[in-house]
PDB file of all heavy atoms in Angstrom:
ATOM      1  N   GLY X   1      -3.161  -6.454 -11.173  1.00  0.00           N
ATOM      2  CA  GLY X   1      -2.209  -5.722 -10.350  1.00  0.00           C
ATOM      3  C   GLY X   1      -1.019  -5.345 -11.194  1.00  0.00           C
ATOM      4  O   GLY X   1      -0.465  -6.213 -11.904  1.00  0.00           O
ATOM      5  N   ALA X   2      -0.603  -4.088 -11.174  1.00  0.00           N
ATOM      6  CA  ALA X   2       0.460  -3.656 -12.094  1.00  0.00           C
ATOM      7  C   ALA X   2       1.476  -2.799 -11.356  1.00  0.00           C
ATOM      8  O   ALA X   2       1.142  -1.979 -10.514  1.00  0.00           O
ATOM      9  CB  ALA X   2      -0.123  -2.855 -13.254  1.00  0.00           C
ATOM     10  N   LEU X   3       2.738  -3.028 -11.697  1.00  0.00           N
ATOM     11  CA  LEU X   3       3.865  -2.165 -11.292  1.00  0.00           C
ATOM     12  C   LEU X   3       4.502  -1.680 -12.556  1.00  0.00           C
ATOM     13  O   LEU X   3       5.200  -2.415 -13.245  1.00  0.00           O
ATOM     14  CB  LEU X   3       4.874  -2.933 -10.444  1.00  0.00           C
ATOM     15  CG  LEU X   3       6.219  -2.222 -10.202  1.00  0.00           C
ATOM     16  CD1 LEU X   3       6.011  -0.960  -9.365  1.00  0.00           C
ATOM     17  CD2 LEU X   3       7.219  -3.143  -9.528  1.00  0.00           C
ATOM     18  N   LEU X   4       4.237  -0.420 -12.914  1.00  0.00           N
ATOM     19  CA  LEU X   4       4.830   0.195 -14.098  1.00  0.00           C
ATOM     20  C   LEU X   4       5.798   1.312 -13.760  1.00  0.00           C
ATOM     21  O   LEU X   4       6.737   1.561 -14.500  1.00  0.00           O
ATOM     22  CB  LEU X   4       3.722   0.714 -15.035  1.00  0.00           C
ATOM     23  CG  LEU X   4       2.702  -0.298 -15.538  1.00  0.00           C
ATOM     24  CD1 LEU X   4       1.806   0.337 -16.570  1.00  0.00           C
ATOM     25  CD2 LEU X   4       3.406  -1.522 -16.120  1.00  0.00           C
ATOM     26  N   GLU X   5       5.551   1.996 -12.694  1.00  0.00           N
ATOM     27  CA  GLU X   5       6.395   3.111 -12.272  1.00  0.00           C
ATOM     28  C   GLU X   5       6.408   3.189 -10.769  1.00  0.00           C
ATOM     29  O   GLU X   5       5.459   3.687 -10.156  1.00  0.00           O
ATOM     30  CB  GLU X   5       5.903   4.437 -12.860  1.00  0.00           C
ATOM     31  CG  GLU X   5       6.690   5.683 -12.450  1.00  0.00           C
ATOM     32  CD  GLU X   5       8.181   5.524 -12.670  1.00  0.00           C
ATOM     33  OE1 GLU X   5       8.612   5.541 -13.819  1.00  0.00           O
ATOM     34  OE2 GLU X   5       8.899   5.388 -11.657  1.00  0.00           O
ATOM     35  N   ALA X   6       7.501   2.671 -10.176  1.00  0.00           N
ATOM     36  CA  ALA X   6       7.547   2.556  -8.707  1.00  0.00           C
ATOM     37  C   ALA X   6       7.526   3.940  -8.024  1.00  0.00           C
ATOM     38  O   ALA X   6       7.163   4.069  -6.856  1.00  0.00           O
ATOM     39  CB  ALA X   6       8.798   1.797  -8.283  1.00  0.00           C
ATOM     40  N   LYS X   7       7.919   4.994  -8.746  1.00  0.00           N
ATOM     41  CA  LYS X   7       8.020   6.318  -8.111  1.00  0.00           C
ATOM     42  C   LYS X   7       6.704   7.089  -8.203  1.00  0.00           C
ATOM     43  O   LYS X   7       6.626   8.232  -7.754  1.00  0.00           O
ATOM     44  CB  LYS X   7       9.118   7.133  -8.797  1.00  0.00           C
ATOM     45  CG  LYS X   7      10.523   6.586  -8.535  1.00  0.00           C
ATOM     46  CD  LYS X   7      11.580   7.456  -9.157  1.00  0.00           C
ATOM     47  CE  LYS X   7      12.978   6.891  -8.872  1.00  0.00           C
ATOM     48  NZ  LYS X   7      14.043   7.740  -9.482  1.00  0.00           N
ATOM     49  N   GLY X   8       5.655   6.491  -8.745  1.00  0.00           N
ATOM     50  CA  GLY X   8       4.375   7.174  -8.847  1.00  0.00           C
ATOM     51  C   GLY X   8       3.613   7.135  -7.552  1.00  0.00           C
ATOM     52  O   GLY X   8       2.485   6.632  -7.476  1.00  0.00           O
ATOM     53  N   VAL X   9       4.197   7.708  -6.494  1.00  0.00           N
ATOM     54  CA  VAL X   9       3.627   7.666  -5.144  1.00  0.00           C
ATOM     55  C   VAL X   9       3.762   9.035  -4.506  1.00  0.00           C
ATOM     56  O   VAL X   9       4.759   9.733  -4.725  1.00  0.00           O
ATOM     57  CB  VAL X   9       4.376   6.602  -4.291  1.00  0.00           C
ATOM     58  CG1 VAL X   9       3.828   6.570  -2.886  1.00  0.00           C
ATOM     59  CG2 VAL X   9       4.294   5.214  -4.937  1.00  0.00           C
ATOM     60  N   HIS X  10       2.777   9.432  -3.712  1.00  0.00           N
ATOM     61  CA  HIS X  10       2.874  10.685  -2.943  1.00  0.00           C
ATOM     62  C   HIS X  10       3.987  10.527  -1.931  1.00  0.00           C
ATOM     63  O   HIS X  10       3.872   9.720  -0.995  1.00  0.00           O
ATOM     64  CB  HIS X  10       1.514  10.956  -2.268  1.00  0.00           C
ATOM     65  CG  HIS X  10       1.421  12.333  -1.702  1.00  0.00           C
ATOM     66  ND1 HIS X  10       2.298  12.822  -0.742  1.00  0.00           N
ATOM     67  CD2 HIS X  10       0.513  13.354  -1.920  1.00  0.00           C
ATOM     68  CE1 HIS X  10       1.961  14.052  -0.416  1.00  0.00           C
ATOM     69  NE2 HIS X  10       0.892  14.380  -1.126  1.00  0.00           N
ATOM     70  N   THR X  11       5.060  11.296  -2.089  1.00  0.00           N
ATOM     71  CA  THR X  11       6.221  11.099  -1.252  1.00  0.00           C
ATOM     72  C   THR X  11       6.018  11.497   0.209  1.00  0.00           C
ATOM     73  O   THR X  11       6.811  11.088   1.069  1.00  0.00           O
ATOM     74  CB  THR X  11       7.442  11.891  -1.828  1.00  0.00           C
ATOM     75  OG1 THR X  11       7.076  13.261  -1.909  1.00  0.00           O
ATOM     76  CG2 THR X  11       7.806  11.371  -3.198  1.00  0.00           C
ATOM     77  N   GLY X  12       4.999  12.271   0.461  1.00  0.00           N
ATOM     78  CA  GLY X  12       4.737  12.682   1.853  1.00  0.00           C
ATOM     79  C   GLY X  12       3.939  11.663   2.654  1.00  0.00           C
ATOM     80  O   GLY X  12       3.847  11.791   3.883  1.00  0.00           O
ATOM     81  N   ARG X  13       3.396  10.652   2.002  1.00  0.00           N
ATOM     82  CA  ARG X  13       2.625   9.642   2.681  1.00  0.00           C
ATOM     83  C   ARG X  13       3.522   8.515   3.184  1.00  0.00           C
ATOM     84  O   ARG X  13       4.558   8.220   2.600  1.00  0.00           O
ATOM     85  CB  ARG X  13       1.553   9.070   1.764  1.00  0.00           C
ATOM     86  CG  ARG X  13       0.359   9.936   1.526  1.00  0.00           C
ATOM     87  CD  ARG X  13      -0.605   9.259   0.602  1.00  0.00           C
ATOM     88  NE  ARG X  13      -1.799  10.067   0.378  1.00  0.00           N
ATOM     89  CZ  ARG X  13      -2.694   9.827  -0.569  1.00  0.00           C
ATOM     90  NH1 ARG X  13      -2.509   8.819  -1.398  1.00  0.00           N
ATOM     91  NH2 ARG X  13      -3.738  10.620  -0.694  1.00  0.00           N
ATOM     92  N   SER X  14       3.064   7.839   4.215  1.00  0.00           N
ATOM     93  CA  SER X  14       3.732   6.614   4.640  1.00  0.00           C
ATOM     94  C   SER X  14       3.338   5.489   3.691  1.00  0.00           C
ATOM     95  O   SER X  14       2.334   5.584   2.987  1.00  0.00           O
ATOM     96  CB  SER X  14       3.355   6.260   6.078  1.00  0.00           C
ATOM     97  OG  SER X  14       1.979   5.866   6.128  1.00  0.00           O
ATOM     98  N   ALA X  15       4.111   4.422   3.705  1.00  0.00           N
ATOM     99  CA  ALA X  15       3.782   3.266   2.878  1.00  0.00           C
ATOM    100  C   ALA X  15       2.400   2.724   3.242  1.00  0.00           C
ATOM    101  O   ALA X  15       1.605   2.354   2.367  1.00  0.00           O
ATOM    102  CB  ALA X  15       4.849   2.187   3.065  1.00  0.00           C
ATOM    103  N   TYR X  16       2.119   2.656   4.546  1.00  0.00           N
ATOM    104  CA  TYR X  16       0.824   2.152   4.992  1.00  0.00           C
ATOM    105  C   TYR X  16      -0.318   3.023   4.473  1.00  0.00           C
ATOM    106  O   TYR X  16      -1.313   2.492   3.943  1.00  0.00           O
ATOM    107  CB  TYR X  16       0.790   2.101   6.521  1.00  0.00           C
ATOM    108  CG  TYR X  16      -0.512   1.619   7.096  1.00  0.00           C
ATOM    109  CD1 TYR X  16      -0.808   0.270   7.177  1.00  0.00           C
ATOM    110  CD2 TYR X  16      -1.474   2.527   7.543  1.00  0.00           C
ATOM    111  CE1 TYR X  16      -2.032  -0.184   7.687  1.00  0.00           C
ATOM    112  CE2 TYR X  16      -2.704   2.109   8.052  1.00  0.00           C
ATOM    113  CZ  TYR X  16      -2.975   0.761   8.115  1.00  0.00           C
ATOM    114  OH  TYR X  16      -4.185   0.345   8.615  1.00  0.00           O
ATOM    115  N   ASN X  17      -0.193   4.343   4.610  1.00  0.00           N
ATOM    116  CA  ASN X  17      -1.278   5.215   4.173  1.00  0.00           C
ATOM    117  C   ASN X  17      -1.441   5.223   2.655  1.00  0.00           C
ATOM    118  O   ASN X  17      -2.553   5.395   2.150  1.00  0.00           O
ATOM    119  CB  ASN X  17      -1.039   6.632   4.665  1.00  0.00           C
ATOM    120  CG  ASN X  17      -1.335   6.781   6.162  1.00  0.00           C
ATOM    121  OD1 ASN X  17      -2.130   6.014   6.712  1.00  0.00           O
ATOM    122  ND2 ASN X  17      -0.727   7.746   6.821  1.00  0.00           N
ATOM    123  N   HIS X  18      -0.336   5.063   1.943  1.00  0.00           N
ATOM    124  CA  HIS X  18      -0.436   4.975   0.470  1.00  0.00           C
ATOM    125  C   HIS X  18      -1.279   3.749   0.106  1.00  0.00           C
ATOM    126  O   HIS X  18      -2.195   3.858  -0.717  1.00  0.00           O
ATOM    127  CB  HIS X  18       0.959   4.868  -0.124  1.00  0.00           C
ATOM    128  CG  HIS X  18       0.984   4.466  -1.560  1.00  0.00           C
ATOM    129  ND1 HIS X  18       0.464   5.258  -2.568  1.00  0.00           N
ATOM    130  CD2 HIS X  18       1.395   3.311  -2.172  1.00  0.00           C
ATOM    131  CE1 HIS X  18       0.587   4.655  -3.732  1.00  0.00           C
ATOM    132  NE2 HIS X  18       1.140   3.472  -3.525  1.00  0.00           N
ATOM    133  N   LEU X  19      -0.957   2.625   0.676  1.00  0.00           N
ATOM    134  CA  LEU X  19      -1.702   1.421   0.360  1.00  0.00           C
ATOM    135  C   LEU X  19      -3.144   1.489   0.869  1.00  0.00           C
ATOM    136  O   LEU X  19      -4.066   1.023   0.191  1.00  0.00           O
ATOM    137  CB  LEU X  19      -1.002   0.190   0.982  1.00  0.00           C
ATOM    138  CG  LEU X  19       0.363  -0.144   0.388  1.00  0.00           C
ATOM    139  CD1 LEU X  19       1.076  -1.220   1.206  1.00  0.00           C
ATOM    140  CD2 LEU X  19       0.256  -0.571  -1.066  1.00  0.00           C
ATOM    141  N   LEU X  20      -3.340   2.118   2.022  1.00  0.00           N
ATOM    142  CA  LEU X  20      -4.671   2.252   2.574  1.00  0.00           C
ATOM    143  C   LEU X  20      -5.573   3.121   1.645  1.00  0.00           C
ATOM    144  O   LEU X  20      -6.745   2.796   1.451  1.00  0.00           O
ATOM    145  CB  LEU X  20      -4.618   2.887   3.955  1.00  0.00           C
ATOM    146  CG  LEU X  20      -5.891   2.805   4.814  1.00  0.00           C
ATOM    147  CD1 LEU X  20      -6.244   1.335   5.115  1.00  0.00           C
ATOM    148  CD2 LEU X  20      -5.698   3.582   6.110  1.00  0.00           C
ATOM    149  N   SER X  21      -4.980   4.164   1.080  1.00  0.00           N
ATOM    150  CA  SER X  21      -5.758   5.017   0.174  1.00  0.00           C
ATOM    151  C   SER X  21      -6.145   4.273  -1.099  1.00  0.00           C
ATOM    152  O   SER X  21      -7.250   4.432  -1.638  1.00  0.00           O
ATOM    153  CB  SER X  21      -4.962   6.295  -0.180  1.00  0.00           C
ATOM    154  OG  SER X  21      -3.806   5.993  -0.928  1.00  0.00           O
ATOM    155  N   LEU X  22      -5.244   3.426  -1.609  1.00  0.00           N
ATOM    156  CA  LEU X  22      -5.581   2.603  -2.766  1.00  0.00           C
ATOM    157  C   LEU X  22      -6.674   1.586  -2.417  1.00  0.00           C
ATOM    158  O   LEU X  22      -7.610   1.362  -3.193  1.00  0.00           O
ATOM    159  CB  LEU X  22      -4.326   1.884  -3.269  1.00  0.00           C
ATOM    160  CG  LEU X  22      -3.243   2.694  -3.920  1.00  0.00           C
ATOM    161  CD1 LEU X  22      -2.044   1.804  -4.280  1.00  0.00           C
ATOM    162  CD2 LEU X  22      -3.731   3.416  -5.177  1.00  0.00           C
ATOM    163  N   ALA X  23      -6.532   1.014  -1.248  1.00  0.00           N
ATOM    164  CA  ALA X  23      -7.497   0.003  -0.844  1.00  0.00           C
ATOM    165  C   ALA X  23      -8.889   0.599  -0.722  1.00  0.00           C
ATOM    166  O   ALA X  23      -9.908  -0.073  -1.045  1.00  0.00           O
ATOM    167  CB  ALA X  23      -7.059  -0.589   0.503  1.00  0.00           C
ATOM    168  N   ALA X  24      -8.981   1.835  -0.248  1.00  0.00           N
ATOM    169  CA  ALA X  24     -10.301   2.477  -0.050  1.00  0.00           C
ATOM    170  C   ALA X  24     -11.084   2.613  -1.347  1.00  0.00           C
ATOM    171  O   ALA X  24     -12.305   2.601  -1.321  1.00  0.00           O
ATOM    172  CB  ALA X  24     -10.080   3.856   0.592  1.00  0.00           C
ATOM    173  N   THR X  25     -10.376   2.715  -2.475  1.00  0.00           N
ATOM    174  CA  THR X  25     -11.070   2.864  -3.774  1.00  0.00           C
ATOM    175  C   THR X  25     -11.833   1.599  -4.153  1.00  0.00           C
ATOM    176  O   THR X  25     -12.707   1.649  -5.012  1.00  0.00           O
ATOM    177  CB  THR X  25     -10.100   3.218  -4.889  1.00  0.00           C
ATOM    178  OG1 THR X  25      -9.203   2.124  -5.096  1.00  0.00           O
ATOM    179  CG2 THR X  25      -9.284   4.473  -4.523  1.00  0.00           C
ATOM    180  N   HIS X  26     -11.472   0.449  -3.564  1.00  0.00           N
ATOM    181  CA  HIS X  26     -12.119  -0.816  -3.911  1.00  0.00           C
ATOM    182  C   HIS X  26     -12.739  -1.496  -2.707  1.00  0.00           C
ATOM    183  O   HIS X  26     -13.109  -2.665  -2.783  1.00  0.00           O
ATOM    184  CB  HIS X  26     -11.081  -1.761  -4.547  1.00  0.00           C
ATOM    185  CG  HIS X  26     -10.770  -1.452  -5.970  1.00  0.00           C
ATOM    186  ND1 HIS X  26     -10.223  -0.256  -6.377  1.00  0.00           N
ATOM    187  CD2 HIS X  26     -10.949  -2.151  -7.124  1.00  0.00           C
ATOM    188  CE1 HIS X  26     -10.046  -0.237  -7.668  1.00  0.00           C
ATOM    189  NE2 HIS X  26     -10.493  -1.380  -8.163  1.00  0.00           N
ATOM    190  N   GLY X  27     -12.886  -0.771  -1.617  1.00  0.00           N
ATOM    191  CA  GLY X  27     -13.487  -1.350  -0.446  1.00  0.00           C
ATOM    192  C   GLY X  27     -12.659  -2.459   0.184  1.00  0.00           C
ATOM    193  O   GLY X  27     -13.193  -3.373   0.823  1.00  0.00           O
ATOM    194  N   ILE X  28     -11.356  -2.389  -0.008  1.00  0.00           N
ATOM    195  CA  ILE X  28     -10.444  -3.395   0.581  1.00  0.00           C
ATOM    196  C   ILE X  28     -10.110  -2.975   2.014  1.00  0.00           C
ATOM    197  O   ILE X  28      -9.752  -1.817   2.248  1.00  0.00           O
ATOM    198  CB  ILE X  28      -9.167  -3.502  -0.275  1.00  0.00           C
ATOM    199  CG1 ILE X  28      -9.539  -3.965  -1.709  1.00  0.00           C
ATOM    200  CG2 ILE X  28      -8.170  -4.471   0.358  1.00  0.00           C
ATOM    201  CD1 ILE X  28      -8.398  -3.896  -2.688  1.00  0.00           C
ATOM    202  N   GLY X  29     -10.151  -3.893   2.946  1.00  0.00           N
ATOM    203  CA  GLY X  29      -9.943  -3.588   4.349  1.00  0.00           C
ATOM    204  C   GLY X  29      -8.493  -3.401   4.720  1.00  0.00           C
ATOM    205  O   GLY X  29      -7.567  -3.797   3.998  1.00  0.00           O
ATOM    206  N   ALA X  30      -8.281  -2.816   5.907  1.00  0.00           N
ATOM    207  CA  ALA X  30      -6.960  -2.567   6.426  1.00  0.00           C
ATOM    208  C   ALA X  30      -6.179  -3.857   6.668  1.00  0.00           C
ATOM    209  O   ALA X  30      -4.936  -3.870   6.628  1.00  0.00           O
ATOM    210  CB  ALA X  30      -7.022  -1.734   7.701  1.00  0.00           C
ATOM    211  N   SER X  31      -6.892  -4.945   6.941  1.00  0.00           N
ATOM    212  CA  SER X  31      -6.219  -6.222   7.164  1.00  0.00           C
ATOM    213  C   SER X  31      -5.434  -6.690   5.934  1.00  0.00           C
ATOM    214  O   SER X  31      -4.340  -7.250   6.051  1.00  0.00           O
ATOM    215  CB  SER X  31      -7.215  -7.311   7.571  1.00  0.00           C
ATOM    216  OG  SER X  31      -8.186  -7.527   6.559  1.00  0.00           O
ATOM    217  N   ARG X  32      -5.996  -6.430   4.745  1.00  0.00           N
ATOM    218  CA  ARG X  32      -5.290  -6.789   3.512  1.00  0.00           C
ATOM    219  C   ARG X  32      -4.089  -5.874   3.312  1.00  0.00           C
ATOM    220  O   ARG X  32      -3.031  -6.336   2.803  1.00  0.00           O
ATOM    221  CB  ARG X  32      -6.250  -6.700   2.321  1.00  0.00           C
ATOM    222  CG  ARG X  32      -5.601  -7.006   0.977  1.00  0.00           C
ATOM    223  CD  ARG X  32      -4.990  -8.400   0.908  1.00  0.00           C
ATOM    224  NE  ARG X  32      -4.400  -8.660  -0.404  1.00  0.00           N
ATOM    225  CZ  ARG X  32      -3.676  -9.750  -0.680  1.00  0.00           C
ATOM    226  NH1 ARG X  32      -3.469 -10.673   0.238  1.00  0.00           N
ATOM    227  NH2 ARG X  32      -3.195  -9.921  -1.903  1.00  0.00           N
ATOM    228  N   VAL X  33      -4.202  -4.622   3.686  1.00  0.00           N
ATOM    229  CA  VAL X  33      -3.067  -3.704   3.611  1.00  0.00           C
ATOM    230  C   VAL X  33      -1.928  -4.230   4.432  1.00  0.00           C
ATOM    231  O   VAL X  33      -0.764  -4.307   4.001  1.00  0.00           O
ATOM    232  CB  VAL X  33      -3.453  -2.269   4.049  1.00  0.00           C
ATOM    233  CG1 VAL X  33      -2.215  -1.405   4.160  1.00  0.00           C
ATOM    234  CG2 VAL X  33      -4.474  -1.680   3.101  1.00  0.00           C
ATOM    235  N   ARG X  34      -2.201  -4.646   5.677  1.00  0.00           N
ATOM    236  CA  ARG X  34      -1.174  -5.179   6.562  1.00  0.00           C
ATOM    237  C   ARG X  34      -0.611  -6.468   6.003  1.00  0.00           C
ATOM    238  O   ARG X  34       0.597  -6.749   6.106  1.00  0.00           O
ATOM    239  CB  ARG X  34      -1.740  -5.416   7.958  1.00  0.00           C
ATOM    240  CG  ARG X  34      -2.079  -4.130   8.694  1.00  0.00           C
ATOM    241  CD  ARG X  34      -2.404  -4.381  10.164  1.00  0.00           C
ATOM    242  NE  ARG X  34      -3.670  -5.120  10.308  1.00  0.00           N
ATOM    243  CZ  ARG X  34      -4.846  -4.545  10.417  1.00  0.00           C
ATOM    244  NH1 ARG X  34      -4.975  -3.215  10.383  1.00  0.00           N
ATOM    245  NH2 ARG X  34      -5.940  -5.252  10.580  1.00  0.00           N
ATOM    246  N   GLU X  35      -1.453  -7.259   5.334  1.00  0.00           N
ATOM    247  CA  GLU X  35      -0.988  -8.523   4.763  1.00  0.00           C
ATOM    248  C   GLU X  35       0.008  -8.309   3.637  1.00  0.00           C
ATOM    249  O   GLU X  35       1.051  -8.946   3.589  1.00  0.00           O
ATOM    250  CB  GLU X  35      -2.199  -9.299   4.241  1.00  0.00           C
ATOM    251  CG  GLU X  35      -1.860 -10.703   3.751  1.00  0.00           C
ATOM    252  CD  GLU X  35      -3.114 -11.472   3.326  1.00  0.00           C
ATOM    253  OE1 GLU X  35      -4.216 -11.020   3.624  1.00  0.00           O
ATOM    254  OE2 GLU X  35      -2.926 -12.531   2.680  1.00  0.00           O
ATOM    255  N   VAL X  36      -0.282  -7.363   2.711  1.00  0.00           N
ATOM    256  CA  VAL X  36       0.651  -7.173   1.597  1.00  0.00           C
ATOM    257  C   VAL X  36       1.924  -6.482   2.078  1.00  0.00           C
ATOM    258  O   VAL X  36       3.014  -6.684   1.495  1.00  0.00           O
ATOM    259  CB  VAL X  36      -0.003  -6.384   0.436  1.00  0.00           C
ATOM    260  CG1 VAL X  36      -1.153  -7.164  -0.162  1.00  0.00           C
ATOM    261  CG2 VAL X  36      -0.434  -5.005   0.869  1.00  0.00           C
ATOM    262  N   ILE X  37       1.843  -5.678   3.124  1.00  0.00           N
ATOM    263  CA  ILE X  37       3.047  -5.094   3.689  1.00  0.00           C
ATOM    264  C   ILE X  37       3.949  -6.182   4.222  1.00  0.00           C
ATOM    265  O   ILE X  37       5.176  -6.167   4.014  1.00  0.00           O
ATOM    266  CB  ILE X  37       2.673  -4.085   4.809  1.00  0.00           C
ATOM    267  CG1 ILE X  37       2.166  -2.784   4.205  1.00  0.00           C
ATOM    268  CG2 ILE X  37       3.901  -3.801   5.704  1.00  0.00           C
ATOM    269  CD1 ILE X  37       1.631  -1.794   5.200  1.00  0.00           C
ATOM    270  N   GLN X  38       3.360  -7.181   4.832  1.00  0.00           N
ATOM    271  CA  GLN X  38       4.136  -8.312   5.347  1.00  0.00           C
ATOM    272  C   GLN X  38       4.707  -9.131   4.196  1.00  0.00           C
ATOM    273  O   GLN X  38       5.886  -9.547   4.228  1.00  0.00           O
ATOM    274  CB  GLN X  38       3.266  -9.204   6.236  1.00  0.00           C
ATOM    275  CG  GLN X  38       4.009 -10.363   6.873  1.00  0.00           C
ATOM    276  CD  GLN X  38       3.140 -11.176   7.777  1.00  0.00           C
ATOM    277  OE1 GLN X  38       1.913 -11.095   7.733  1.00  0.00           O
ATOM    278  NE2 GLN X  38       3.752 -11.979   8.651  1.00  0.00           N
ATOM    279  N   ILE X  39       3.910  -9.375   3.167  1.00  0.00           N
ATOM    280  CA  ILE X  39       4.384 -10.122   1.997  1.00  0.00           C
ATOM    281  C   ILE X  39       5.601  -9.432   1.365  1.00  0.00           C
ATOM    282  O   ILE X  39       6.573 -10.083   0.987  1.00  0.00           O
ATOM    283  CB  ILE X  39       3.248 -10.283   0.953  1.00  0.00           C
ATOM    284  CG1 ILE X  39       2.165 -11.207   1.470  1.00  0.00           C
ATOM    285  CG2 ILE X  39       3.799 -10.809  -0.381  1.00  0.00           C
ATOM    286  CD1 ILE X  39       0.915 -11.229   0.605  1.00  0.00           C
ATOM    287  N   ALA X  40       5.553  -8.103   1.301  1.00  0.00           N
ATOM    288  CA  ALA X  40       6.632  -7.340   0.652  1.00  0.00           C
ATOM    289  C   ALA X  40       7.801  -7.055   1.580  1.00  0.00           C
ATOM    290  O   ALA X  40       8.804  -6.489   1.142  1.00  0.00           O
ATOM    291  CB  ALA X  40       6.076  -6.021   0.129  1.00  0.00           C
ATOM    292  N   GLY X  41       7.707  -7.489   2.834  1.00  0.00           N
ATOM    293  CA  GLY X  41       8.814  -7.292   3.765  1.00  0.00           C
ATOM    294  C   GLY X  41       9.015  -5.843   4.174  1.00  0.00           C
ATOM    295  O   GLY X  41      10.166  -5.411   4.404  1.00  0.00           O
ATOM    296  N   LEU X  42       7.939  -5.093   4.277  1.00  0.00           N
ATOM    297  CA  LEU X  42       8.019  -3.660   4.588  1.00  0.00           C
ATOM    298  C   LEU X  42       7.545  -3.311   6.016  1.00  0.00           C
ATOM    299  O   LEU X  42       7.298  -2.144   6.307  1.00  0.00           O
ATOM    300  CB  LEU X  42       7.189  -2.851   3.573  1.00  0.00           C
ATOM    301  CG  LEU X  42       7.695  -2.854   2.125  1.00  0.00           C
ATOM    302  CD1 LEU X  42       6.678  -2.193   1.201  1.00  0.00           C
ATOM    303  CD2 LEU X  42       9.043  -2.175   2.005  1.00  0.00           C
ATOM    304  N   GLU X  43       7.402  -4.307   6.891  1.00  0.00           N
ATOM    305  CA  GLU X  43       6.869  -4.037   8.231  1.00  0.00           C
ATOM    306  C   GLU X  43       7.660  -2.950   8.940  1.00  0.00           C
ATOM    307  O   GLU X  43       7.068  -2.075   9.610  1.00  0.00           O
ATOM    308  CB  GLU X  43       6.856  -5.322   9.066  1.00  0.00           C
ATOM    309  CG  GLU X  43       5.991  -6.440   8.517  1.00  0.00           C
ATOM    310  CD  GLU X  43       6.825  -7.475   7.790  1.00  0.00           C
ATOM    311  OE1 GLU X  43       7.745  -7.082   7.031  1.00  0.00           O
ATOM    312  OE2 GLU X  43       6.548  -8.663   7.972  1.00  0.00           O
ATOM    313  N   SER X  44       8.966  -2.975   8.846  1.00  0.00           N
ATOM    314  CA  SER X  44       9.792  -2.072   9.622  1.00  0.00           C
ATOM    315  C   SER X  44       9.738  -0.626   9.129  1.00  0.00           C
ATOM    316  O   SER X  44      10.107   0.301   9.846  1.00  0.00           O
ATOM    317  CB  SER X  44      11.261  -2.543   9.621  1.00  0.00           C
ATOM    318  OG  SER X  44      11.793  -2.499   8.300  1.00  0.00           O
TER     319      SER X  44
END
């Protein structure tokens, strides 16, 4: 897992959809997306 450039994100997407699109490339479910959003404190 790498954070090299925080701005390398499609600015028109929501945080949830950005993570969901990344998850889809590895078959990661939506439950994990919600989990990391909670870990990062981004629920609101």
Side-chain angles (χ1 to χ4, degrees):
L3 168 65
L4 301 187
E5 177 52 71
K7 293 183 179 180
V9 178
H10 191 301
T11 56
R13 283 180 178 166
S14 68
Y16 178 82
N17 284 335
H18 168 66
L19 294 172
L20 194 63
S21 65
L22 291 177
T25 66
H26 282 61
I28 298 170
S31 61
R32 178 59 179 173
V33 172
R34 292 190 291 271
E35 186 177 347
V36 297
I37 284 174
Q38 183 177 17
I39 291 171
L42 293 172
E43 298 100 318
S44 64

